[in-house]
Amino acid sequence: MADDAVAVIALIGVAGIASQWLAWWLRIPAIAMMLVTGLLAGPAFGVLDPGAALGELLEPAIGFAVAIIVFEGGLNLNIREWRAAGGGVKRLVMAVPLSWCLGTLAAHYLGGVGWPVATLFGAIMVITGPTVILPLLRQAKLHRRPATFLKWEGILNDPIGAILAVMVLEWLVLSSTEGTEIAWGLLLRLLAGVVVGTALGLGLAYGLRWMFRRDLAPEFLKTPILLASVLAAFTAANTVMPEAGLIAATVYGLALGNIGVAGLDDLRRFKESLTVFLVSGVFILLASDLEAEVFARLSWPIILTVLAILFIVRPVSIILATLGDSMNWRERALVAWIAPRGIVAAAMAGIATRQLERAGYPDAELLLPLVFSVIGATVIAHGFTVGPVARALGLAGTSRPGVLIVGAWDWTVALGDALRGIDVPVIIADPDPAALTAARRKGLPTFRGDLLSERSEGDLDLQEVDYVVAASSDDAYNALICTRFAPHMGRERVHQIAFQSGIQPGERAPLRDWRGKILFQPNAGYDSLKSLLKHGWTFHVDEVGPDDLTPEKLHVGDRTWPLLVAYDDGRIIFISPETHEVPAEPGKLLSFAPSSAHEAADTVEARAAASD
């Protein structure tokens, strides 16, 4: 067993990121993989014992990690989404007392837990949280409205549920020693915690904007300032009331993300990467810190309680809270099913168990197995079913990767039509409504707007988009589009047509970080493609086998320009001078080539025109 603090931290970090990568590779929910890894490393094989290695630093470390995670969640909340789904989100927050009451009843009557511990269990069950919701949404490709409902509910419920659990815990601990004359004191602390947390979050957000706009911080210090201020707000609010720091961190992120701070994308990308690392580590840490005795306490009453949380408590509370709302029955059914519990619930259960045992509650030992049973059940059940259930309800896009084509003109419309013909989802975007007319006549999905504008972030649904083809007449705009989407989709998935000057990649072309991968060949720019299309070139689809996908056969030739290969499992590989490898597996090859109805003379003429 690793008991050195440095070794434990290193193992947790490696195990967390390895779990994330393995889940991505196997296409399974990352949170399920992390939970299993933590249980195997801790209770099963005893490789990790974070509690023994970190000691008193364990709880503060988890607290700081959760503060950064909920801050990043608030940072990603767009106020435009609230305008579209705010009524439903408010109803979901209103479901908190219903969920609390029903969870308490389930724990008492089915789990055999006394009323005090059952009440605390019901409060903890309110917490869903961004640590589990956001990874699921990233994987499931939900439509914007149901994704907005779940995302906002998770981020708002995190501090609400945590503070509710803290209030119940303090009531139970104090009432066991000081009697029940403590209600007014707790209410005053609650009010003070909410006010201080909100004030700190708003004050820091507007203060940071004032500081950055006046160039009072160099670029290299902006991210460290942001990180330090999150931890400071969390700690300061917690001195007023435990878990009020979650309010401060959430409000801070929500405000900062919606008040127009320049350069926030760079900060957001850093925070997203840090959050992925922290979520991975904390999940492994909490799961591996469980003791084997927790599993020994599992029983049929606990199993029945878990089933009630899954199939009665959550559905009934959501259905009752959303009656009369604008949610349709499909959205209501999905939200009623999806409610995985995660890090904050686990951390609260660990803290509460120790305090209740010290206060003398006889059934406090049942709280931890109850909470972790629900966490395990919801992570697995909801993690593996969110995609299929959403698709069955018509609330998610196809699992096949989609392509965003930027720039609407004859060639891109033909490309979009060809992609649709091989079952690849496609969206054509252009700020000019007249340019989109031809695409709309073909029945292709379109988006009107400038993808570099702030407004497009809230209006364009990118859940079904995995690749970008920038093909406007403006080379610089194409490069900027690829630069904007590369951090979100990956640099190997953003492409643009060649520069009209015929610049070779690696010569005088912009650095790879500031453009997309060049399609076809260096002289296949906007004018060249337009000329070839005019002379009868079009898109062709051919069934290909492994022998057809050699580098020699995929080379851009005189009569055929290979563009991409679509495989049966949904993968897409664009063919480019900068593509390193094309898997030799059966698929469909999409090429740009002369129409069979045209003579070779036309092809020669078109090539000559394209090379001018």
Side-chain angles (χ1 to χ4, degrees), residues 265-281:
D265 279 348
D266 293 335
L267 303 176
R268 186 181 282 117
R269 283 195 290 272
F270 169 80
K271 296 291 287 183
E272 183 179 9
S273 300
L274 180 61
T275 297
V276 169
F277 184 80
L278 291 176
V279 167
S280 306

Side-chain angles (χ1 to χ4, degrees), residues 249-334:
T250 303
V251 172
Y252 188 10
L254 178 58
L256 192 66
N258 289 277
I259 59 175
V261 177
L264 196 60
D265 279 348
D266 293 335
L267 303 176
R268 186 181 282 117
R269 283 195 290 272
F270 169 80
K271 296 291 287 183
E272 183 179 9
S273 300
L274 180 61
T275 297
V276 169
F277 184 80
L278 291 176
V279 167
S280 306
V282 175
F283 246 105
I284 299 292
L285 188 153
L286 289 172
S288 61
D289 195 47
L290 289 175
E291 297 178 356
E293 290 77 7
V294 171
F295 300 94
R297 298 190 186 105
L298 294 178
S299 60
W300 278 110
I302 289 179
I303 293 173
L304 290 175
T305 304
V306 172
L307 293 175
I309 295 294
L310 283 170
F311 297 105
I312 299 176
V313 173
R314 172 70 177 185
V316 170
S317 60
I318 293 300
I319 290 171
L320 291 177
T322 58
L323 285 177
D325 185 67
S326 60
M327 275 189 187
N328 60 49
W329 72 269
R330 294 181 180 85
E331 294 169 338
R332 189 174 286 112
L334 179 66

Side-chain angles (χ1 to χ4, degrees), residues 126-430:
V126 166
I127 306 169
T128 52
T131 59
V132 282
I133 288 293
L134 296 183
L136 289 187
L137 297 182
R138 190 180 297 119
Q139 189 174 31
K141 295 187 176 182
L142 298 187
H143 291 168
R144 181 182 294 276
R145 235 172 87 97
T148 300
F149 289 142
L150 290 170
K151 180 170 69 174
W152 276 81
E153 181 204 18
I155 293 173
L156 294 179
N157 273 4
D158 224 19
I160 292 173
I163 287 180
L164 176 62
V166 166
M167 293 291 292
V168 174
L169 176 61
E170 289 202 12
W171 172 275
L172 295 178
V173 172
L174 292 175
S175 63
S176 68
T177 58
E178 301 179 16
T180 58
E181 302 298 323
I182 54 175
W184 284 110
L186 285 177
L187 288 175
L188 288 175
R189 289 183 63 195
L190 171 62
L191 180 61
V194 171
V195 170
V196 170
T198 303
L200 277 172
L202 291 175
L204 283 171
Y206 282 96
L208 206 69
R209 185 180 69 170
W210 178 87
M211 185 180 184
F212 287 179
R213 283 183 173 182
R214 284 157 180 78
D215 198 24
L216 297 179
E219 287 296 323
F220 75 92
L221 278 182
K222 286 184 177 179
T223 299
I225 288 172
L226 186 65
L227 184 60
S229 62
V230 172
L231 299 182
F234 175 78
T235 304
N238 274 352
T239 60
V240 178
M241 177 185 173
E243 306 307 328
L246 293 179
I247 293 181
T250 303
V251 172
Y252 188 10
L254 178 58
L256 192 66
N258 289 277
I259 59 175
V261 177
L264 196 60
D265 279 348
D266 293 335
L267 303 176
R268 186 181 282 117
R269 283 195 290 272
F270 169 80
K271 296 291 287 183
E272 183 179 9
S273 300
L274 180 61
T275 297
V276 169
F277 184 80
L278 291 176
V279 167
S280 306
V282 175
F283 246 105
I284 299 292
L285 188 153
L286 289 172
S288 61
D289 195 47
L290 289 175
E291 297 178 356
E293 290 77 7
V294 171
F295 300 94
R297 298 190 186 105
L298 294 178
S299 60
W300 278 110
I302 289 179
I303 293 173
L304 290 175
T305 304
V306 172
L307 293 175
I309 295 294
L310 283 170
F311 297 105
I312 299 176
V313 173
R314 172 70 177 185
V316 170
S317 60
I318 293 300
I319 290 171
L320 291 177
T322 58
L323 285 177
D325 185 67
S326 60
M327 275 189 187
N328 60 49
W329 72 269
R330 294 181 180 85
E331 294 169 338
R332 189 174 286 112
L334 179 66
V335 173
W337 170 240
I338 302 300
R341 276 68 171 186
I343 289 173
V344 177
M348 286 301 309
I351 295 169
T353 296
R354 289 188 287 273
Q355 294 193 28
L356 290 178
E357 286 177 343
R358 287 196 295 266
Y361 286 92
D363 48 2
E365 63 181 15
L366 295 177
L367 182 63
L368 208 56
L370 269 170
V371 172
F372 267 90
S373 296
V374 174
I375 291 173
T378 55
V379 161
I380 293 172
H382 299 159
F384 282 97
T385 63
V386 59
V389 169
R391 286 191 290 274
L393 292 171
L395 297 177
T398 173
S399 59
R400 299 182 70 88
V403 179
L404 172 65
I405 302 174
V406 182
W409 53 290
D410 294 345
W411 185 83
T412 57
V413 172
L415 171 60
D417 196 34
L419 289 171
R420 181 176 58 179
I422 56 175
D423 297 323
V424 175
V426 63
I427 300 175
I428 298 182
D430 199 291

Side-chain angles (χ1 to χ4, degrees), residues 413 416-417 420 426 428 436-446:
V413 172
D417 196 34
R420 181 176 58 179
V426 63
I428 298 182
L436 294 169
T437 301
R440 289 171 177 155
R441 285 175 181 167
K442 288 274 190 179
L444 296 170
T446 61

Side-chain angles (χ1 to χ4, degrees), residues 409 411 497-502 520-535 537 561 592 606-612:
W409 53 290
W411 185 83
I497 57 176
F499 294 91
Q500 297 194 57
S501 59
F520 297 132
Q521 57 186 4
N523 66 341
Y526 177 87
D527 291 336
S528 299
L529 295 174
K530 190 173 184 179
S531 175
L532 291 172
L533 195 68
K534 178 182 177 182
H535 284 82
W537 283 46
W561 289 7
F592 189 53
R607 287 181 56 225
S611 63
D612 290 341

